[in-house]
Amino acid sequence: APSRARGDDYSIYPHAAAGAAAFARAMGIRSVLYVSSTGVYDRHDGSDVTERSLIEPRDARVQALYDAEQRIATVAEAHDATVHIVRAAGLYGPQRDPAARLADPALAAGDVWCNFSWRDDVVSAIVHLLFHDRAPGVRVFNCADGTPLRSSTIAATLTGQAMQPPTAHATVDRAAPVRSGRSNQRVRVEALLATGWRPSVPTVYDGLRLLGHHVPRAPLAP
């Protein structure tokens, strides 16, 4: 990922991916798995996103994420290899505790849909896919816990305020400030589930409990 200390910008993504693709082609590697981000969808309207959702880069970050995926995909085109692209959402876990950020009123103010991936669940998805479909070609999978939650609901839960279960068609307060670059989308993971993979941590509340936080049980939308 880009390092501010090194002065990196987002172009590091496609440059690194191009190097990896060139190495794979030179070595005749027949199977490549690349971890990308659901940020590539860049939705801000609270809509569902699947692997078939249209990607229309509107800034340097999204363009770089998309270009990196395209560089990796060339391995399949050149060598009839298997390429899996895993788009992970909201990575968290040990040494990556999001509790303070999630309880921040500034996050709740935008009232956006948030998506999460427990670190070890992403690892298990990677291992699972490496042994799953080895047919030549490019396949894309979203990787998340499959339980999108509104930022306001998460913040209310963590601060002990009254909670309301999220609704599938809740509206977003367009007047509330939303940090630039923050997605507002609901990531669908049916494609990954169809391969037989299952998350061990089904909601961010379960993950926060594993990190040692006292989180009350909250009703979840189906």
Side-chain angles (χ1 to χ4, degrees), residues 41-149:
Y41 298 114
D42 196 32
R43 295 295 193 276
H44 300 274
D45 58 358
S47 58
D48 287 350
V49 290
T50 73
E51 293 81 359
R52 295 173 179 263
S53 295
L54 182 65
I55 295 174
E56 298 179 299
R58 289 185 288 265
D59 60 37
R61 174 177 174 272
V62 177
Q63 186 69 61
L65 289 170
Y66 179 72
D67 289 347
E69 292 185 359
Q70 298 305 298
R71 302 290 193 279
I72 289 294
T74 63
V75 177
E77 299 167 2
H79 284 288
D80 204 26
T82 301
V83 174
H84 287 127
I85 296 174
V86 178
R87 293 173 177 160
L91 189 67
Y92 75 111
Q95 287 80 56
R96 198 180 177 97
D97 187 338
R101 177 175 60 87
L102 295 176
D104 187 341
L107 176 68
D111 204 13
V112 296
W113 286 97
C114 302
N115 305 270
F116 301 93
S117 302
W118 180 251
R119 180 198 65 181
D120 293 348
D121 281 339
V122 176
V123 173
S124 74
I126 291 170
V127 173
H128 172 77
L129 289 172
L130 287 174
F131 291 95
H132 178 62
D133 179 10
R134 301 301 293 270
V138 180
R139 293 193 66 187
V140 180
F141 296 93
N142 292 335
C143 184
D145 60 25
T147 310
L149 292 166

Side-chain angles (χ1 to χ4, degrees), residues 1 12 16 22 25-27 38-39 48-49 67 93 102 104 113 117 140 143 171 175 178 182 187 189 198 203:
I12 192 173
R25 290 192 296 270
M27 298 298 293
T38 54
D48 287 350
V49 290
D67 289 347
L102 295 176
D104 187 341
W113 286 97
S117 302
V140 180
C143 184
T171 58
V178 178
R182 181 193 294 174
V187 176
V189 295
R198 294 291 183 274
T203 77

Side-chain angles (χ1 to χ4, degrees), residues 197-216:
W197 174 85
R198 294 291 183 274
S200 65
V201 181
T203 77
V204 69
Y205 297 146
D206 297 299
L208 289 170
R209 293 186 194 101
L210 290 174
L211 294 174
H213 299 286
H214 175 69
V215 181

